[in-house]
Every structure is written in C-alpha cells, then in structure tokens.
Amino acid sequence: MSRSAITIIEIARMLGLSKSTVSRALAGHRDVNEDTRKKVLELAQKLDYQPNVVALHLRQQRTRTLGVIIPETMNRFFAKAIGGMQQVASQAGYNVIICQSNESLATEKMNVRTLLSNRVDGLIVSVSGETDRYDHFDLVSKKNIPIVFFDRVAESIPSSKVISNNYEISKEATLHLIKQGCKRIAVMAGPQYLYNSRNRLRGYIDAIHESGLECKEKYILQTDFKLKRMDELVRYLVNMKEKPDAIFAINDMAALEMIHVLKNMGYRIPEDIAVMGFNNEPICKFVDPPLTSIDHPADEMGRSAAALLINHLETGNATVVERCIKSQLIIRGSTHRIKK
Amino acid sequence: MSRSAITIIEIARMLGLSKSTVSRALAGHRDVNEDTRKKVLELAQKLDYQPNVVALHLRQQRTRTLGVIIPETMNRFFAKAIGGMQQVASQAGYNVIICQSNESLATEKMNVRTLLSNRVDGLIVSVSGETDRYDHFDLVSKKNIPIVFFDRVAESIPSSKVISNNYEISKEATLHLIKQGCKRIAVMAGPQYLYNSRNRLRGYIDAIHESGLECKEKYILQTDFKLKRMDELVRYLVNMKEKPDAIFAINDMAALEMIHVLKNMGYRIPEDIAVMGFNNEPICKFVDPPLTSIDHPADEMGRSAAALLINHLETGNATVVERCIKSQLIIRGSTHRIKK
DNA sequence: AATTTTTATGGGAACGTTCCCGGGAAGGTT
DNA sequence: AACCTTCCCGGGAACGTTCCCATAAAAATT
C-alpha cells in the first residue's frame, strides 16, 4: 500500500467538505446536492481515487471474499471449477481466494485457519485425498461461516453440497464395458473414506452384479490420487492368472499412461484390454486410440457452488441444499470392441 | 464474518487487562509479565481466538497479499507457476490472490483495478495474448506498488522480470529439427507484439539462416493462443506446393491435435512430418509417438517471481532485476528421424 | 409571521488492531 | 533517604470507511 494513497478525507479537504459528504457522494446516496456530487466525482476521477476496501471490510464486518480450498490447481477438473466460481463471484461483486491442500490433511487444516483469519465470508471446499475426518471444520460452523462442499464432500457436515452422480455414471460406464464383451474388469478405486470414491466403487460393483458376473476382490485396486509407478501396476495386472480384459482407471492420465505401457508390452487396445478414463480431458480425443472417458461439468459445479454460497450469504438463508450435476459418458475408441 | 467473533478487547475484558497488554502478549512482545502472557495465551487458545487480519491490514497499511494476474489457470504452465508462487508466498507469510485475464486486455485492466482497490502489496503479472499496450499499469507504478512480470513480460515497463530463454531454446529446437534432416519447417508464431513470441520466432529464423536454409514467409503461421479449427490449419499445410516436413507448434495441445489429424490423413510421424511441441506436458511421454517438447521450469519461474517481489517489498529495494530461467529441449520420438 | 418540512452538510462513533507514550511499583545504587 | 533503572501495564491515537445523529439553511406550509 502506498503511503501517499488518496483517501476520502483528502478529497474532502481539497473541496472543503466533510468526509461524510464525500462518502455519500461517492456511494450514490441521495442526501447530497447534485453540484457537490459532481465536483466530488470529478475530483475522484482525476485523482484516480480507489476506495480502500480494507477499511470498508473492517467497517462492514464482511469482506465480500469467498475462500476456496481444493486439492490441487494443477488438476484440470479443479482448475475448471475455479474458473466457474470466479465467474459467478466477480459477477456478484465477490473476490475469491484460493488455497491448495496438495492432497494433504495437514495443509487443509492450515488453509482453514488462514482463510478464517482472513475473514472470508464463506468457504467452498473440496477435501483432500487424505481427509478422513472433518473436525477442522467445526470452528467454521461455530463461527457461523457457511461452507459449501463440492465434488469431494464431507458427508457428515450439515452444509450445502454440489456433487456429481458418481454412482450412476460409474455404473453406466461399467455396464458399457460389459456390453462390449468385457468380463474381467479391473477398477482403480480411490480412498474409500471419500464419499466420491465409495460411490464410484458401488456403481462398479452393482453393475457387475446386475450383469450376473462375479465381482472379484483382486480386480479392485486400492489407489490414491498421487499416482506413481504405473508400470508396476500394469505388470501386476497382466501377470494375473485371469488377466483383466478391461481397466476402469481413476483418471485420464492414469489411463493414458497405462495404455502406453500396455502398448509397449504388445497388447492391443481395446481388443486385448479396453481402457476407460475419467474426467474427459481434451487430450482424450487426440490419442490413439481415443480414450473413452467421463465428462464432468466442472465449470458448472464451480458456478453452482459459488452461487449457492453467495445465496446463503445474501439471504441469510441457512437451509442446506444438495445439488447434483450430471456427468456424461463419452464413448471413444479405447473401449469400442463391438461394431454395431 | 460472525458477529460474535472474539476480539482482543474481549479477552482483555475477561482477564481484567487492557487491550494493549493482550496485544503485546499475543505478539510475543517482551514488555509483558510471563504469568499474564501465559494466561492470555491460554484463554486465546481456549476461545479459538484468531486475529482479525483485516483490522491489522488497515492499521499496518499493508495486506501481506500478492496480486497475481495470469491469462488462464487452466493452462498448466500458469497453474504450475501459481503453485510455485504460493509456496514461496506462504512461507514468507504472504497470501496470494489470483485473477485471470482470460487472454483479454479488457479483463486484465479490470483485474488491475480490483487488485489495487484490494490493496495488494505487490503484483505479479503475465500479460494476456491481447495486451499490446501497457498504460493500465501506469496507475500501479504511480502508487509505488512494485510489479514483477513473468514469462509474458511488458518490456517497456521498468520493473523486475522473470523470463525464460525463449530465443535460445527456440533456436536449439529448430536446429534439432534441421539436424534430423528437415528442410521445410513450419512454425506457429504467436502474437508478435508479445516479447515472448517475437523472441521465439527470432530463434527459429536465426537457426534457419545459420543453417544455410531459406526462410520462407509461408512457413510462418500467425496464430494466437486460443486455437480452434486445427484441422483447417493442417489441411492448409499439407496442400502447399512445398509441403513442410516439420512443424514447430505453439504448444503441446496444438501439436497433439495436429499429429492426430495428420495420422488420420495417413501421414507418418516423424517420417513424413516431424512435430515439435512446446511446454512438455506430462502427456508428451505417453502418446504415440512420444512428443518432443520444450520444458519450462514453470514452478521455478513462479517461485522466482514471488521471491523477487517479496524481496522488493521487504527491503524496499527497487532496483530492477531480470532473471532468466533456462528451458530445456526434451527430444522424443515425434522428431527423431535419424538413428545415431 | 410563525411553524413545520425538506435538503444538505458536518460531527463523531465504530470496526479491531498496533504502537507510542506516560506512569506506577518494585528493586537497586549512591 | 533520595534517586535511577527496570519491569509492567493502561490510555489513546491512528488506519479509512460508513452511518447515525444533530443542525443549519432553505423551502413550504399554516
């Protein structure tokens, strides 16, 4: 902050007015003479006056700022969601301050503290891949600061949530694989204390059962979101007695890396092994074979979360809403084994 | 902000002390009795006291906040850079507030105003693809708020900059293509009012000249960063009289999309046409053929920019620094035409 | 002409913090 | 006993804004 910033008082002094009058003129209040208003506005313009929102925030006891905690900005899903939030927020005159937990519970806790002492008006949160308890949000609720969870939600907390239909879409994707003739479908299942991952796995399991197939433990691979040594995982899979004929990956990058490793081993995709991605990143269209994936309207989820939160803030209405944004299965070559 | 937030005054009241003493105790000042300090600390802990940084900022005339303006968070390069900034910033006790210009000059101007009235202590900026003039930064300089530009810099503004060696690396990449036997190298050149794009093109041109090849206008394709209709571009290229035998793309996504289109047309990569990417996204390793690209240490650039800015802020030293972070050519299959 | 109403303005508290300054009490020195 | 330090602590201004209240002048009403 520059020490010579011009304030409302400065303007008042220059015009021989009181700060109250200047404040009113600037705020578009009615109780002020048109001539003086014009003079004030002109001078403010000329001096490039910009209201000190810090002072404003202290006075108003609100910051018009939304705090966002997400696992990673590098993740395109979250990057896109942030875009949506910022769009809605700035339209409504709110700022957004973003923290990354880096998939770590400890950092997530720190993020909460940071945002709280920065006096954000509300929180939008997607929990980290390590978050198996939610007591660090107690403080937030205690201070009556509204939270909206999105995608990776904290079920037990009574607050609004924006989710996608993980269960249904995961089931649909699995059924698609089965319809293509796949009988031994491996799935990369995320941390099971996450609501999301649980639902995704449930969808997979139900699809298998409903199709009369046997659901085998060994095809369910426990993984997290920080993937490494994908080649080992692939080797493990292809060395099985009953080698899988399809893999439902945890995300597109994992899927593409697997395809790469499998191709190098001489397997054909999808003839030998079909591969299903998750997230539908733009690259899916341009790889060989094009990757079947699941598209989430991340931007809409972000918009929705921000709109929900702002609505809570503006109306004071604290009723909990749960909004579900539908994902979509995008079928491409990597799973297309049967010509219709 | 909750209306019942506990303040320093509240704590003072409860302990029968003055706010001054409580403030000192909390701040770790020396002029306070050990017993009272302990009492204060305990109560603060018990009440989950969190200092109101808004009040602090008003008082201190600084917000310990860095304003960042980048073209797009969806762009991995910038996302990574942001990660680096946040790391350095949070380590130094600074917050970061991020604005996207969405490659639009108008939004960039708005972003500057927003950050300014939010009283950020300093700015880190990478200009939009439309930014061909810099007068919207005059206000910032006039208010003595330091700016650090990174990657897409505003040359004419006398402020610190973090850049990569675009010229050298672009030249090296082109020379690599020439060494592989390519003689008709098409290049996607970004907006020429951008310092970056100009240097990149210069590197390309110098490499061609130094190798005794002829630099033909028609191989230089004017593009911007919002790419669409890549298939048209490819069709234009392959329909030339002297069809290019190499393409130096503006970024990896463009390169991959081109490869996709070219393969569908029956061309072999790199035998018929070599393709060079830019940015070295993780996916480069996993596509077929693996994509040669140029790796930028985006995180280091972000860290560097933040460190530079914070240094300016803390020391008050306004001497302009220009730091160059070296990029690296990563050779892979998409350009590898000659077996050594 | 006396009154009420309207219009325009100024004064000052409040938001929560820091920090300068003053001063009392305790202890040490001459 | 008088003085000087040292140690703690409280009072109050300041940061820039809004907003409630008071008030003077002007206009309108009686």
Side-chain angles (χ1 to χ4, degrees):
Chain A
M1 222 179 281
S2 140
R3 81 217 103 154
S4 62
I6 27 95
T7 73
I8 231 170
I9 297 188
E10 186 75 2
I11 295 182
R13 208 182 45 74
M14 293 175 76
L15 292 174
L17 291 167
S18 77
K19 57 186 159 61
S20 316
T21 308
V22 177
S23 169
R24 272 189 297 260
L26 256 19
H29 246 274
R30 46 170 179 70
D31 265 8
V32 54
N33 186 290
E34 268 315 310
D35 284 349
T36 49
R37 155 162 302 146
K38 209 154 69 177
K39 275 193 290 181
V40 169
L41 256 37
E42 267 172 14
L43 187 57
Q45 173 89 29
K46 205 183 109 209
L47 297 179
D48 280 318
Y49 167 74
Q50 290 195 287
N52 186 334
V53 296
V54 177
L56 182 61
H57 292 161
L58 179 60
R59 173 64 226 247
Q60 314 259 47
Q61 294 292 87
R62 55 197 290 241
T63 55
R64 295 193 80 84
T65 300
L66 273 30
V68 176
I69 304 179
I70 51 158
E72 260 199 318
T73 45
M74 287 284 286
N75 185 316
R76 288 187 69 89
F77 172 80
F78 291 115
K80 212 169 159 192
I82 288 175
M85 292 175 203
Q86 282 186 321
Q87 184 194 327
V88 172
S90 76
Q91 206 137 17
Y94 281 79
N95 274 110
V96 169
I97 157 165
I98 298 154
C99 294
Q100 317 187 46
S101 64
N102 292 315
E103 300 286 13
S104 141
L105 175 56
T107 350
E108 186 174 291
K109 287 183 180 178
M110 263 192 35
N111 292 336
V112 171
R113 294 198 74 82
T114 305
L115 293 174
L116 239 43
S117 73
N118 270 82
R119 294 297 192 271
V120 293
D121 290 347
L123 245 46
I124 300 181
V125 179
S126 199
V127 300
S128 88
E130 281 179 14
T131 305
D132 52 355
R133 46 186 301 170
Y134 307 122
D135 47 341
H136 49 304
F137 294 115
D138 291 350
L139 193 57
V140 185
S141 324
K142 217 170 67 187
K143 295 196 187 243
N144 277 320
I145 294 174
I147 314 186
V148 172
F149 287 94
F150 83 101
D151 194 52
R152 302 217 208 134
V153 303
E155 324 149 59
S156 61
I157 297 191
S159 63
S160 288
K161 298 173 178 62
V162 177
I163 50 173
S164 68
N165 55 339
N166 269 292
Y167 171 80
E168 289 81 4
I169 200 71
S170 165
K171 188 166 165 182
E172 185 183 339
T174 311
L175 286 173
H176 161 71
L177 288 172
I178 295 170
K179 211 186 302 170
Q180 299 297 314
C182 301
K183 294 193 166 17
R184 300 178 304 279
I185 304 172
V187 62
M188 292 172 69
Q192 287 304 298
Y193 47 80
L194 288 186
Y195 183 69
N196 262 12
S197 308
R198 264 205 314 282
N199 277 340
R200 244 191 249 177
L201 186 57
R202 265 205 313 125
Y204 162 86
I205 292 175
D206 285 5
I208 301 274
H209 281 154
E210 281 181 22
S211 307
L213 295 174
E214 200 185 339
C215 182
K216 294 192 180 157
E217 198 64 57
K218 64 177 174 184
Y219 291 139
I220 299 176
L221 312 168
Q222 274 308 327
T223 56
D224 60 13
F225 298 102
K226 323 179 195 175
L227 296 162
K228 40 192 177 195
R229 311 285 358 212
M230 197 68 75
D231 48 342
E232 280 182 6
L233 191 57
V234 172
R235 228 184 313 274
Y236 164 77
L237 287 174
V238 297
N239 286 337
M240 280 184 169
K241 284 153 293 183
E242 297 164 299
K243 185 167 61 68
D245 53 12
I247 302 175
F248 190 173
I250 196 165
N251 60 37
D252 290 331
M253 267 307 286
L256 294 176
E257 187 164 354
M258 282 185 147
I259 291 181
H260 179 71
V261 176
L262 285 167
K263 275 163 110 180
N264 279 351
M265 287 176 165
Y267 292 99
R268 291 165 309 159
I269 317 290
E271 292 81 358
D272 300 326
I273 301 181
V275 178
M276 165 91 61
F278 202 90
N279 277 352
N280 193 33
E281 312 224 352
I283 186 68
C284 291
K285 285 198 287 291
F286 306 129
V287 290
D288 185 28
L291 183 65
T292 296
S293 193
I294 289 161
D295 187 67
H296 313 288
D299 41 356
E300 200 185 325
M301 291 184 75
R303 279 198 298 272
S304 200
L308 229 51
L309 182 56
I310 290 174
N311 183 55
H312 280 171
L313 291 170
E314 310 262 281
T315 67
N317 186 342
T319 51
V320 164
V321 179
E322 198 155 306
R323 192 165 295 170
C324 180
I325 312 282
K326 296 257 180 300
S327 302
Q328 201 185 345
L329 177 63
I330 311 286
I331 298 174
R332 299 200 183 87
S334 72
T335 59
H336 200 255
R337 309 219 294 185
I338 294 177
K339 312 271 180 265
K340 287 188 187 161
Chain B
M1 223 179 282
S2 141
R3 82 217 101 162
S4 62
I6 26 94
T7 72
I8 233 171
I9 298 188
E10 187 75 1
I11 294 181
R13 209 184 43 73
M14 293 175 75
L15 292 175
L17 291 167
S18 77
K19 57 185 160 63
S20 315
T21 308
V22 176
S23 169
R24 271 190 296 260
L26 255 21
H29 245 274
R30 47 172 178 67
D31 265 6
V32 53
N33 186 288
E34 267 316 308
D35 284 349
T36 49
R37 156 162 301 147
K38 209 154 69 178
K39 274 194 289 184
V40 170
L41 256 37
E42 266 171 16
L43 187 58
Q45 173 89 27
K46 204 181 110 211
L47 296 179
D48 281 319
Y49 167 74
Q50 290 194 287
N52 186 334
V53 296
V54 177
L56 183 61
H57 292 161
L58 179 60
R59 172 64 225 246
Q60 315 258 46
Q61 293 292 85
R62 57 198 286 241
T63 55
R64 296 193 79 84
T65 300
L66 271 30
V68 177
I69 304 178
I70 50 157
E72 260 200 318
T73 45
M74 286 284 286
N75 184 317
R76 289 186 67 91
F77 172 79
F78 292 116
K80 212 169 158 192
I82 288 174
M85 291 174 204
Q86 282 187 321
Q87 184 194 326
V88 172
S90 77
Q91 204 137 17
Y94 281 80
N95 274 110
V96 169
I97 156 165
I98 298 154
C99 294
Q100 316 187 46
S101 63
N102 291 315
E103 300 285 13
S104 142
L105 176 55
T107 343
E108 185 175 290
K109 287 182 180 179
M110 265 192 34
N111 292 335
V112 172
R113 292 199 73 82
T114 305
L115 292 175
L116 240 42
S117 73
N118 270 82
R119 294 296 193 272
V120 293
D121 290 346
L123 245 48
I124 299 181
V125 179
S126 200
V127 301
S128 89
E130 281 180 14
T131 306
D132 53 355
R133 44 185 302 168
Y134 308 121
D135 46 342
H136 50 304
F137 294 115
D138 291 351
L139 192 57
V140 185
S141 325
K142 216 170 68 187
K143 295 196 186 243
N144 277 320
I145 294 174
I147 313 185
V148 173
F149 288 95
F150 83 101
D151 194 51
R152 302 217 208 133
V153 303
E155 326 148 58
S156 61
I157 298 191
S159 64
S160 289
K161 297 173 179 62
V162 178
I163 51 174
S164 66
N165 55 338
N166 270 293
Y167 170 79
E168 289 81 4
I169 200 70
S170 166
K171 188 165 166 184
E172 184 183 339
T174 311
L175 286 174
H176 161 71
L177 288 171
I178 295 171
K179 211 185 301 173
Q180 299 296 313
C182 302
K183 294 195 167 14
R184 300 177 303 279
I185 304 172
V187 62
M188 293 173 68
Q192 287 303 297
Y193 46 81
L194 288 186
Y195 183 69
N196 263 12
S197 308
R198 265 207 312 283
N199 277 340
R200 247 192 248 178
L201 186 56
R202 265 205 313 126
Y204 161 86
I205 292 175
D206 286 4
I208 300 273
H209 281 154
E210 283 181 20
S211 307
L213 295 174
E214 202 184 337
C215 182
K216 295 191 180 161
E217 198 65 55
K218 64 178 175 185
Y219 291 139
I220 299 175
L221 313 167
Q222 275 308 327
T223 55
D224 60 12
F225 299 102
K226 322 179 196 174
L227 296 161
K228 39 191 178 197
R229 311 286 358 214
M230 199 67 75
D231 50 342
E232 281 182 5
L233 191 58
V234 171
R235 229 184 315 273
Y236 165 77
L237 287 175
V238 298
N239 286 336
M240 280 183 169
K241 285 154 291 185
E242 297 165 299
K243 184 168 63 67
D245 53 12
I247 303 175
F248 190 173
I250 197 165
N251 60 38
D252 290 331
M253 267 307 287
L256 293 176
E257 188 164 352
M258 284 185 147
I259 290 181
H260 179 71
V261 176
L262 285 167
K263 275 163 112 180
N264 280 351
M265 287 177 164
Y267 293 100
R268 292 165 307 162
I269 318 289
E271 292 81 357
D272 299 327
I273 301 181
V275 178
M276 165 92 59
F278 202 91
N279 277 354
N280 192 34
E281 313 223 353
I283 186 67
C284 293
K285 287 196 286 291
F286 305 129
V287 290
D288 185 28
L291 182 65
T292 296
S293 192
I294 289 161
D295 187 67
H296 312 289
D299 41 356
E300 199 186 326
M301 289 183 75
R303 278 198 298 271
S304 199
L308 229 52
L309 182 56
I310 291 174
N311 183 55
H312 280 171
L313 291 171
E314 309 262 281
T315 67
N317 186 343
T319 52
V320 165
V321 179
E322 198 155 304
R323 192 166 295 170
C324 180
I325 311 281
K326 298 254 179 299
S327 302
Q328 202 186 345
L329 177 63
I330 311 285
I331 299 174
R332 299 199 184 88
S334 72
T335 60
H336 200 254
R337 309 218 293 185
I338 294 177
K339 313 271 181 268
K340 287 190 187 164

